[in-house]
């Protein structure tokens, strides 16, 4: 990691997302990226055992109870990218999902908690569903995120992958979740990874780009750390763990490595890069642990939807049940809450 | 704060663990406790308050034991011991039941511990209590295996155990589990600040079928500890606590024949190399020095960071410190609880206020009232600064930088203590090179404060001696079955009225640093045969000769890093050269003793050398089965520099029997030769001279054992002293050894049968077990 003086803080010089009224906290400058710094990349370390110990003890160190828990869970909902990425997605299925994104919690529960309306952070779909989702979410302020670049394997021709981004942006996607070429990481070709990421970022234009590292396929936590840094240097607005299709998706150790990379990048450049764990987070309790991890390792600024997202489909249902339990004092049932 | 406000602030709220069950248990005893003696409660006597340090409120009234109470406890323990020692497998079942009981009542123990001690509930719940259960499980297994695996050993008898306040129940487990497993009965005194979990343990022990008298708990302050230490019917003292009290106990038990293990203070280094995963190393510090408010004997309290990364490391460390949450120890979302007592809080405050370093206190809110001290980092200190040398025993980390791995080792070892050490690097070569060079009982690589019942724990230097946990820990609670006979004093042959002297004078000198040296004092003594023949003169070594011998041992430090293979060859070679001069040695022995055993003694000596040559490359360490992904290596390291008094009766065999194991295990040794028959030893240095033994590895002094006993015992640069002398040296050596708390192995007036090698005893006396934890994973 280089000395901070090599990377003068550029806070305030990035391009704000003008006119994008859907996301809160618009004043955060976008990550402008930086030249690929191979010294920093190569010096990045990640001690697996130590990282696993930190991750394993975290749930025991942090506990959020009662009204605090309810508030945190509501916050978690606002940070969910409500997702459907299935071969059998249809327009009807996507509209149902969008309706749930706009009204994620039963009104009487919100009332009992004294909360105004909330929505999920985004809806995340394949390219072909973008137009439908944009239409369904009109007026809600909820952005549509499109998975792109030959998701999930990212092995289609590069020009097609870049073109896919442009198409999705044209269709109204405000967030693009790209997948990186894992082979660049596995062969240590950091320059190629950097160039690819920079090209994707350029193709996104004003749309925010989330770089999916597919951490379950990168082999080591050290690779995760290095890939995180390279993608941020190349201008990623978010770094994201997984497509949800790998054998292992978001885990606490992987998250710890990625958010430590985000922290180091912020120390060095002043830019805040967002984080999105995706896949495998389905319990309200897990969501709380993730939020505590973010709070402790990155700070409160990252506990907002412009800096943190859950890529999840079934998490919302568990949170709804927990919220009802908070309100009634009795355990809830799934069918009492609207399905997505 | 309502939900909407919290939604915006995203604060952690309170997450209190309920104290009601623990309070109910205290109430069921009417908040008043006597002692647990002979399987029942005594009536409360003179009491003192046990307080919750987080609030200052009184939890219970606990009795201050009188001499009568201690006597009753010891008597009950003595009475119960014989039958308790009879059936190892029955003991295994009781220990198993205790382990299960701890698990079944884990939350009650955890909450009570936190109430009494002030440590965060997270630690008592997730660390202390699970380790307690693990310790009893592990030692249930040791009891089960004792008859098969330790057939030659038996219980010591009654163990007096005195434990500290920082891990009240865990330290009880570390003391009680091995003692009971090996068939001892115990009288344990918890620290006066934190007696309650020990009392709960006693209360519940009935449910595990612990027979009356096997476990006795007496409460009170240091005065009660002293009654235990001084009690004539106690066979062993085990103490964990401060170095100053440990030293007093060493002095008080000197010469009493009581076995002693001491687990004392530390100022453990925490080394961060520039290629380390710095974020993980910082998180490690949270577990090192802000674990249990830094009130941990093995806390990584002395931070050594490689210069090139130091500023970045400090910056990130300070940021991490600011995220630590201080507060109600019963809150499940708290990192740092309360210091144990206002007295301790004041000590910490005064020490930090007196420091010249750059003091950074975490900018985390301090709770009102209660004994709270913020996590603190003091940088810019030098080894010469007081806070770099003295144990603070609080959440205060002191730091300095180093340039090279060698300098890191020098700084790490520049301390009177030697309990634990931590090092962080991603380079396996560096890690495995540095770990053995650190003078400490435990080394953690890329981790810190890992403990397990299977892995030995304990220190060197002024951190004490003896190990707790593992097979090595059982040595502290067992003794050989075979009793030793009383030793007979052997006096030199008196000068005859009519002297018969050789025409050619032969002068035996001292042997120091591979050279013959005249005694500093310039005095010699004539050695006469029983028949009145002058056999020669020997020098009378004094303290300066001892000093020179220790200097010579220092210069020969390379011996400790030679391979066992090389040491074996040299020991064989000594045997070979002794064999070539067997007749001469035999007649010399016969001439001195006036007996005819010389030939047999020489043959036995050659055999002994071969035995130790054989052992030199075979005393393997162990890879311990600890419950992590990783290994805990128990490495047998040389003790270092040993001073020894050879047996008087067997002038050659007694000498060889102590030199050879010391050498074989990589030690350097200075031996006072048999006082009445010193010439076999002075002849023997010529054998050493011709056998490629590097100068300084073995030094031989002659003269009066009694004169040098105090000097040897008190020498600050010796790591151990052994005595097999027929002079009564045991008390003086043990008392003087309190100075630097060196290990001692003295005969307490008992004779050893030199015909037997007794390898087990010598192997363990000639080595320190260092446990090196290496978690791995990529």
């Amino acid at each position: 990691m280089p000395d901070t003086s090599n990377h003068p803080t550029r806070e305030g010089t990035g391009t704000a997302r003008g006119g994008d009224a859907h996301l809160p906290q618009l004043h955060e400058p976008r990550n402008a990226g930086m030249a690929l710094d191979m010294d920093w990349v190569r010096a990045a370390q990640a001690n697996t055992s130590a990282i696993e110990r930190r991750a394993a003890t975290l749930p025991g160190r942090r506990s959020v109870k009662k009204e605090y828990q309810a508030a945190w869970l509501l916050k978690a909902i606002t940070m969910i990218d409500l997702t459907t990425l299935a071969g059998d997605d249809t327009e009807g299925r996507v509209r149902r999902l969008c309706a749930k994104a706009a009204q994620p919690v039963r009104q009487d529960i919100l009332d009992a908690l004294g909360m105004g309306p909330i929505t999920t952070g985004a809806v995340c779909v394949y390219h072909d569903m973008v137009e439908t989702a944009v239409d369904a979410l009109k007026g809600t302020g909820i952005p549509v995120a499109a998975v792109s670049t030959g998701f999930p394997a990212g092995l289609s021709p590069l020009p097609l992958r870049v073109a896919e981004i442009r198409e999705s942006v044209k269709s109204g996607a405000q967030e693009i979740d790209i997948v990186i070429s894992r082979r660049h990481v596995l062969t240590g070709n950091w320059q190629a990874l950097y160039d690819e990421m920079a090209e994707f970022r350029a193709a996104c234009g004003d749309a925010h780009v989330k770089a999916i590292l597919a951490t379950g396929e990168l082999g080591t936590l050290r690779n995760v750390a290095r890939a995180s840094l390279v993608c941020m240097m190349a201008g990623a607005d978010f770094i994201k763990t997984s497509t949800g299709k790998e054998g292992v998706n978001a885990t606490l150790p992987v998250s710890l490595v990625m958010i430590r990379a985000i922290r180091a990048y912020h120390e060095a450049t002043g830019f805040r890069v967002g984080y999105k764990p995706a896949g495998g987070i389905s319990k309200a309790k897990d969501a709380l642990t993730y939020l505590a991890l973010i709070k402790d390792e990155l700070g409160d600024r990252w506990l907002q939807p412009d800096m943190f997202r859950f890529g999840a489909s079934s998490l919302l249902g568990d949170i709804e049940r927990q919220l009802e339990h908070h309100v009634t004092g009795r355990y809830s049932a799934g069918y009492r809450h609207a399905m997505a | 704060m309502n939900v909407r406000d919290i939604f915006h602030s995203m604060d952690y709220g309170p997450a209190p663990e309920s104290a009601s069950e623990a309070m109910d248990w205290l109430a069921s005893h009417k908040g008043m406790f006597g002692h647990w003696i002979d399987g029942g409660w005594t009536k409360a006597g003179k009491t003192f308050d046990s307080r919750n340090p987080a609030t200052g409120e009184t939890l219970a009234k606990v009795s201050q034991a009188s001499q009568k109470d201690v006597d009753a406890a010891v008597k009950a323990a003595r009475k119960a011991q014989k039958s308790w020692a009879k059936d190892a497998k029955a003991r295994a079942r009781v220990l198993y039941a205790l382990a299960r009981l701890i698990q079944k009542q884990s939350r009650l123990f955890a909450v009570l511990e936190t109430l009494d001690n002030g440590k965060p509930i997270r630690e008592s719940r997730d660390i202390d209590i699970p380790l307690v259960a693990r310790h009893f499980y592990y030692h249930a297994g040791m009891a089960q295996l004792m008859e098969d695996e330790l057939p030659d050993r038996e219980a010591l008898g009654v163990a007096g155990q005195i434990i500290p306040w920082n891990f009240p129940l865990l330290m009880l487990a570390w003391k009680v589990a091995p003692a009971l497993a090996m068939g001892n009965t115990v009288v344990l005194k918890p620290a006066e600040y934190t007696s309650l979990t020990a009392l709960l343990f006693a209360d519940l022990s009935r449910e595990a079928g612990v027979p009356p008298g096997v476990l006795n708990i007496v409460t009170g302050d240091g005065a009660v500890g002293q009654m235990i230490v001084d009690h004539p019917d106690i066979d062993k003292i085990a103490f964990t606590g401060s170095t100053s009290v440990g030293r007093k106990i060493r002095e008080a038990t000197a010469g009493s024949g009581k076995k002693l293990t001491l687990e004392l203070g530390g100022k453990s280094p925490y080394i961060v190399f520039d290629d380390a995963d710095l974020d993980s190393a910082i998180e490690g510090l949270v577990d090192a020095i802000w674990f249990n408010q830094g009130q941990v004997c093995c806390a990584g309290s002395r931070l050594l960071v490689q210069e090139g990364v130091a500023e970045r490391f400090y910056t990130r460390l300070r940021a991490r410190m600011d995220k630590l949450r201080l507060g109600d120890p019963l809150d499940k979302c708290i990192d740092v609880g309360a210091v144990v007592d206002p007295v301790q809080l004041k000590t910490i405050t005064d020490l930090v206020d007196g420091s010249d370093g750059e003091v950074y206190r975490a900018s985390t809110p301090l709770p009102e009232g209660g004994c709270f001290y913020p996590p603190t980092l003091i940088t810019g200190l030098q080894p010469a600064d007081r806070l770099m040398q003295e144990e603070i025993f609080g959440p205060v980390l002191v730091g300095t930088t180093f340039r090279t791995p060698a300098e890191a080792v020098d700084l790490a070892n520049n301390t009177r203590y030697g309990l634990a050490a931590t090092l962080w690097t991603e380079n396996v070569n560096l890690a495995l090179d540095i770990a053995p060079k650190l003078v400490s009982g435990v080394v953690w690589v890329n981790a810190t404060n890992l403990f397990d019942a299977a892995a030995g724990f304990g220190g060197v230097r002024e951190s004490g001696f003896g190990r707790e946990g593992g097979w090595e820990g059982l040595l502290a609670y067992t003794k050989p079955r075979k009793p030793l006979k009383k030793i007979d004093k052997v006096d030199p042959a008196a000068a005859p009225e009519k002297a018969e002297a050789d025409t050619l004078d032969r002068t035996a000198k001292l042997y120091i640093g591979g050279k013959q040296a005249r005694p500093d004092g310039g005095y010699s003594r004539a050695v006469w045969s029983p028949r009145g023949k002058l056999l020669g003169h020997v020098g009378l070594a004094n303290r300066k000769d001892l000093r020179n011998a220790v200097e010579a041992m220092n210069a020969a430090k390379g011996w400790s890093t030679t391979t066992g293979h090389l040491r074996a060859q040299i020991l064989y070679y000594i045997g070979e050269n002794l064999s070539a001069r067997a007749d001469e040695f035999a007649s010399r022995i016969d001439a001195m003793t006036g007996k005819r055993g010389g030939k047999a003694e020489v043959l036995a000596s050659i055999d002994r050398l071969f035995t130790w040559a054989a052992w030199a490359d075979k005393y393997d360490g162990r890879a311990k089965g600890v419950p992590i992904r990783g290994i805990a290596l128990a490495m047998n390291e040389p003790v270092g520099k040993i001073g020894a008094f050879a047996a008087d009766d067997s002038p050659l065999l007694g000498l060889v029997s102590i030199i050879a194991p010391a050498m074989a295990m990589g030690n350097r040794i200075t031996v006072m030769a048999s006082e009445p028959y010193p010439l076999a030893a002075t002849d023997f240095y010529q054998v050493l001279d011709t056998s490629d033994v590097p100068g300084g590895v073995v030094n031989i002094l002659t003269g009066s054992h009694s004169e040098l006993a105090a000097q040897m015992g008190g020498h600050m640069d010796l790591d151990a002293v052994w005595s097999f002398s027929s002079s009564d040296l045991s008390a003086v050596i043990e008392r003087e050894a309190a100075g630097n708390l060196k290990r001692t192995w003295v005969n307490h007036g008992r004779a050893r049968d030199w015909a037997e090698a007794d390898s087990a005893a010598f192997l363990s006396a000639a080595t320190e077990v260092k446990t090196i934890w290496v978690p791995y994973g990529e």
Side-chain angles (χ1 to χ4, degrees):
Chain A
M1 174 43 271
D3 189 81
T4 315
S5 58
N6 296 337
H7 304 279
T9 298
R10 278 169 284 185
E11 193 136 25
T13 61
T15 327
R17 267 174 103 189
D20 192 348
H22 303 308
L23 291 177
Q25 310 279 350
L26 296 178
H27 53 271
E28 190 68 37
R30 271 188 91 175
N31 172 25
M34 56 177 278
L36 178 63
D37 182 341
M38 281 309 304
D39 288 344
W40 182 2
V41 173
R42 289 212 180 91
Q45 297 287 15
N47 186 283
T48 301
S49 286
I51 287 162
E52 286 175 352
R53 275 197 304 280
R54 166 74 170 138
T57 59
L58 182 76
R61 290 179 198 258
R62 289 294 177 258
S63 180
V64 188
K65 295 292 177 199
K66 302 202 166 146
E67 61 271 30
Y68 287 85
Q69 188 179 86
W72 279 50
L73 290 175
L74 289 165
K75 179 65 79 176
I77 292 174
T78 69
M79 300 195 288
I80 291 177
D81 281 359
L82 203 60
T83 302
T84 183
L85 296 171
D88 57 359
D89 284 346
T90 62
E91 197 173 308
R93 159 75 182 131
V94 169
R95 285 188 184 277
R96 197 171 77 203
L97 189 80
C98 291
K100 183 68 180 174
Q103 292 172 282
V105 181
R106 240 170 51 208
Q107 189 59 44
D108 63 300
I109 295 176
L110 284 179
D111 291 346
L113 294 169
M115 278 294 292
I118 58 167
T119 70
T120 66
V123 165
C124 183
V125 292
Y126 270 116
H127 168 79
D128 267 15
M129 297 293 141
V130 170
E131 282 183 26
T132 304
V134 168
D135 183 59
L137 293 171
K138 206 172 282 169
T140 63
I142 303 171
V144 173
V147 295
S148 193
T149 66
F151 183 93
L155 287 168
S156 48
L158 182 62
L160 294 188
R161 281 184 271 151
V162 174
E164 190 185 1
I165 294 175
R166 294 213 173 91
E167 285 299 310
S168 293
V169 173
K170 215 191 304 173
S171 300
Q174 290 166 292
E175 301 178 6
I176 304 293
D177 289 18
I178 63 100
V179 290
I180 65 163
S181 295
R182 280 73 115 180
R183 62 188 182 282
H184 293 332
V185 177
L186 296 174
T187 58
N189 194 347
W190 304 110
Q191 186 68 50
L193 180 66
Y194 180 88
D195 293 344
E196 176 186 84
M197 182 67 226
E199 194 171 355
F200 291 164
R201 159 76 193 259
C204 285
D206 285 342
H208 275 207
V209 58
K210 305 191 197 107
I212 302 175
L213 304 185
T215 53
E217 295 178 350
L218 297 187
T220 67
L221 290 180
R222 190 175 290 104
N223 275 347
V224 172
R226 292 176 179 175
S228 298
L229 288 175
V230 171
C231 287
M232 287 187 284
M233 288 172 183
D237 296 296
F238 260 71
I239 51 175
K240 174 177 169 183
T241 57
S242 333
T243 64
K245 314 285 186 192
E246 289 87 49
V248 180
N249 295 294
T251 64
L252 281 178
V254 156
S255 297
L256 191 55
V257 171
M258 291 175 73
I259 64 182
R260 282 175 174 173
I262 289 172
R263 187 172 65 196
Y265 187 76
H266 177 248
E267 270 172 24
T269 68
F271 289 119
R272 290 191 170 87
V273 171
Y275 178 63
K276 178 176 173 183
I281 304 166
S282 58
K283 297 289 177 213
K285 194 170 191 294
D286 297 340
L288 293 174
T289 301
Y290 271 91
L291 295 184
L293 181 71
I294 296 297
K295 185 176 170 70
D296 281 10
E297 293 277 337
L298 281 175
D300 288 354
R301 179 60 190 85
W302 268 266
L303 290 177
Q304 298 296 338
D306 67 334
M307 282 291 130
F308 182 80
R309 297 286 178 79
F310 288 110
S313 42
S314 59
L315 172 62
L316 178 55
D318 194 53
I319 293 180
E320 289 176 87
R321 287 195 298 276
Q322 296 306 319
L323 288 174
E324 186 169 31
H325 173 250
H326 176 74
V327 169
T328 65
R330 293 291 178 268
Y331 290 107
S332 181
Y335 62 79
R336 298 174 58 83
H337 307 279
M339 64 186 284
Chain B
M1 292 253 278
N2 60 30
V3 170
R4 187 193 288 260
D5 294 337
I6 302 165
F7 178 82
H8 290 294
S9 74
M10 288 298 284
D11 286 334
Y12 290 116
E17 174 73 46
S18 166
S20 59
E21 282 82 358
M23 297 309 284
D24 287 350
W25 178 75
L26 292 172
S28 74
H29 286 262
K30 303 193 169 57
M32 178 88 82
F33 291 90
H35 310 286
W36 179 262
I37 294 172
D38 206 11
W41 292 108
T42 65
K43 251 182 84 182
K46 194 180 142 220
T47 64
F48 57 95
D49 288 351
S50 188
R51 291 174 190 276
N52 177 345
T55 62
E57 68 174 346
T58 298
L59 294 166
K61 289 186 177 302
V62 177
S63 294
Q64 168 78 14
S66 64
Q67 185 66 53
K68 230 175 91 194
D69 296 324
V70 173
D71 289 346
V74 174
K75 196 172 156 203
R78 176 62 64 197
K79 200 176 95 204
Q81 199 265 328
K82 265 214 176 93
S83 63
W84 177 246
K86 249 180 215 148
D87 187 344
K89 292 192 173 163
R91 294 200 298 275
R93 288 172 187 217
V94 171
L95 286 161
Y96 171 70
L98 283 169
R100 300 283 287 174
L101 203 60
I102 303 274
Q103 283 185 318
K104 284 183 273 194
Q105 302 291 356
S106 59
R107 197 54 62 91
L108 179 59
F109 275 112
V111 171
L112 188 64
E113 194 77 300
T114 285
L115 284 171
D116 202 15
N117 164 280
K119 66 173 66 201
I121 184 71
R122 199 270 308 180
E123 294 177 9
S124 50
R125 180 196 65 203
D126 294 351
I127 299 171
D128 290 47
I129 306 305
L131 282 173
V132 170
R134 163 87 180 128
H135 223 77
F136 280 101
Y137 271 112
Y138 182 84
H139 285 94
M142 285 303 199
Q144 182 74 17
L145 298 180
M146 186 181 181
E147 285 170 7
D148 286 341
E149 299 302 316
L150 301 167
D152 302 330
R153 299 190 75 83
E154 64 182 11
L156 292 172
V158 175
Q161 308 180 317
I162 302 162
I163 59 173
W165 43 259
N166 56 348
F167 296 91
L169 191 68
L170 182 57
M171 290 301 105
L172 175 147
W174 282 22
K175 299 281 181 281
V176 168
L180 295 194
M182 296 294 104
N184 304 275
T185 54
V186 306
V187 176
L188 177 135
K189 185 195 88 68
E192 69 268 34
Y193 295 152
T194 55
S195 309
L196 300 182
T197 47
L199 296 172
L200 173 61
F201 178 80
D203 207 22
L204 294 175
S205 67
R206 285 181 277 206
E207 298 171 25
V210 178
V214 168
L215 171 77
N216 303 277
I217 310 269
V218 293
T219 52
D221 59 13
V224 182
Q226 194 171 346
M227 292 174 203
I228 293 174
V229 167
D230 294 340
H231 202 287
D233 200 28
I234 281 180
D235 302 295
K236 189 238 161 60
I237 298 292
F239 172 76
T240 296
S242 73
T243 292
S244 59
V245 174
R247 185 170 283 132
K248 284 184 195 148
I249 292 176
R250 169 74 290 182
E251 285 167 1
T253 55
S256 68
K258 285 191 180 94
K259 294 269 187 292
L260 181 64
T261 44
L262 299 173
E263 202 270 89
L264 308 176
K267 190 78 181 177
S268 297
Y270 189 100
I271 308 170
V272 181
F273 289 101
D274 61 4
D275 69 336
D277 174 353
L278 297 185
D279 289 314
S280 289
I282 286 168
E283 203 55 46
L285 275 170
V286 173
D287 293 331
I289 185 68
W290 296 304
F291 172 53
N292 201 18
Q293 296 71 248
Q295 303 166 138
V296 184
C297 50
C298 55
S301 55
R302 207 158 42 101
L303 173 63
L304 308 172
V305 194
Q306 198 150 12
E307 215 168 300
V309 296
E311 277 315 310
R312 195 189 319 150
F313 190 84
Y314 292 155
T315 304
R316 290 188 188 182
L317 176 56
R318 289 182 193 114
R320 180 68 185 93
M321 289 165 66
D322 291 345
K323 295 279 186 185
L324 292 171
R325 306 190 76 237
L326 256 79
D328 177 5
L330 272 180
D331 191 311
K332 289 179 271 191
C333 201
I334 280 298
D335 298 304
V336 181
V339 168
V340 74
D341 189 86
V343 174
Q344 183 64 14
L345 182 65
K346 183 167 186 322
T347 307
I348 297 167
T349 308
D350 291 349
L351 279 168
V352 174
D353 291 350
S355 165
D356 297 331
E358 190 183 328
V359 178
Y360 182 80
R361 293 183 181 85
S363 67
T364 174
L366 274 190
E368 304 257 331
C371 302
F372 292 93
Y373 197 87
T376 301
L377 168 70
I378 307 180
T379 50
L381 291 178
Q382 304 304 333
D385 288 310
R386 181 177 173 209
L387 287 191
M388 286 292 281
Q389 302 164 9
E390 285 186 22
E391 189 174 33
I392 300 172
F393 226 63
V396 182
L397 177 67
V398 298
T400 193
T401 60
F402 65 87
R403 295 167 297 172
T404 61
E407 189 170 67
V409 171
D410 287 345
L411 283 166
N413 292 343
N414 183 211
T415 172
R416 284 175 291 140
Y417 295 111
L419 190 49
T422 300
L423 71 96
W424 288 81
T425 173
E426 289 299 300
N427 178 347
V428 66
N429 294 310
L430 184 60
L432 297 182
D433 181 43
I434 299 299
K437 290 179 178 165
L438 297 171
V439 180
S440 66
V442 183
V443 177
W444 292 293
V445 176
N446 291 330
T448 200
N449 279 345
L450 301 179
F451 308 103
D452 185 60
F457 183 90
V460 296
R461 293 187 178 167
E462 294 185 27
S463 292
F465 43 80
R467 294 290 177 268
E468 298 186 286
W471 292 98
E472 56 269 41
L474 303 180
L475 287 177
Y477 287 100
T478 55
K479 65 181 180 197
R481 279 191 183 282
K482 209 168 142 186
L484 298 177
K485 278 183 295 198
K486 211 170 157 294
I487 203 163
D488 294 322
K489 178 85 170 75
V490 187
D491 292 314
E497 282 181 17
K498 190 162 170 261
E500 178 195 338
D502 275 338
T503 49
L504 183 61
D505 178 70
R506 278 182 66 190
T507 306
K509 298 206 175 96
L510 310 180
Y511 183 67
I512 295 173
K515 293 193 179 71
Q516 300 182 34
R518 285 204 184 83
D520 171 86
Y523 289 103
S524 295
R525 170 175 89 74
V527 181
W528 300 96
S529 83
R531 296 195 186 112
K533 185 166 188 247
L534 179 65
L535 299 175
H537 288 87
V538 289
L540 295 178
N542 66 12
R543 60 202 294 264
K544 293 198 173 158
D545 297 307
L546 173 64
R547 175 199 66 190
N548 295 344
V550 173
E551 291 297 326
M553 289 196 285
N554 274 329
K557 66 170 185 282
W559 180 254
S560 294
T561 54
T562 53
T563 64
H565 177 55
L566 176 80
R567 295 196 295 265
Q569 290 178 68
I570 289 176
L571 284 162
Y572 281 126
Y573 196 21
I574 300 172
E576 183 187 326
N577 286 330
L578 179 60
S579 174
R581 295 172 58 175
D583 292 345
E584 173 199 337
F585 271 89
S587 42
R588 173 70 105 180
I589 292 167
D590 288 345
M592 286 191 294
T593 60
K595 295 174 188 164
R596 293 174 179 275
K599 190 171 177 198
E601 187 173 340
V602 174
L603 288 177
S605 299
I606 295 165
D607 180 63
R608 189 63 34 92
L609 284 159
F610 268 57
T611 294
W612 287 107
W615 267 116
D617 56 1
K618 291 176 191 64
Y619 192 42
D620 303 326
R622 291 169 189 261
K624 295 298 184 78
V626 290
I628 63 163
R629 187 188 62 221
I631 40 171
L633 295 173
M635 295 199 11
N636 296 318
E637 294 192 338
V639 169
K641 287 162 286 181
I642 298 171
F645 294 88
D648 288 322
D649 54 352
S650 306
L652 182 65
L653 183 57
L655 179 82
V656 164
S657 295
I658 58 180
I659 287 178
M663 283 180 73
M665 294 299 110
N667 299 282
R668 292 147 277 157
I669 186 165
T670 294
V671 189
M672 281 292 282
S674 161
E675 188 169 338
Y677 313 133
L679 295 175
T682 54
D683 290 347
F684 188 69
Y685 64 62
Q686 295 169 353
V687 176
L688 295 175
D689 261 345
T690 54
S691 307
D692 295 343
V693 178
V697 171
V698 179
N699 303 282
I700 293 171
L701 305 180
T702 50
S704 159
H705 287 189
S706 309
E707 292 280 313
L708 268 185
Q711 296 299 336
M712 198 97 103
H715 198 298
M716 294 287 185
D717 205 12
L718 282 174
D719 301 299
V721 172
W722 299 349
S723 172
F724 307 100
S725 174
S726 69
S727 299
D728 183 13
L729 312 179
S730 300
V732 65
I733 288 172
E734 289 189 333
R735 190 163 54 243
E736 290 293 333
N740 70 343
L741 287 159
K742 64 175 70 66
R743 280 173 76 179
T744 55
W745 184 25
V746 295
N747 58 7
H748 293 293
R750 296 280 146 184
R752 187 159 270 286
D753 179 1
W754 294 106
E756 289 174 21
D758 196 4
S759 304
F762 279 92
L763 285 168
S764 100
T767 53
E768 293 282 359
V769 181
K770 176 190 273 178
T771 306
I772 302 177
W773 291 74
V774 191
Y776 50 72
E778 178 60 62

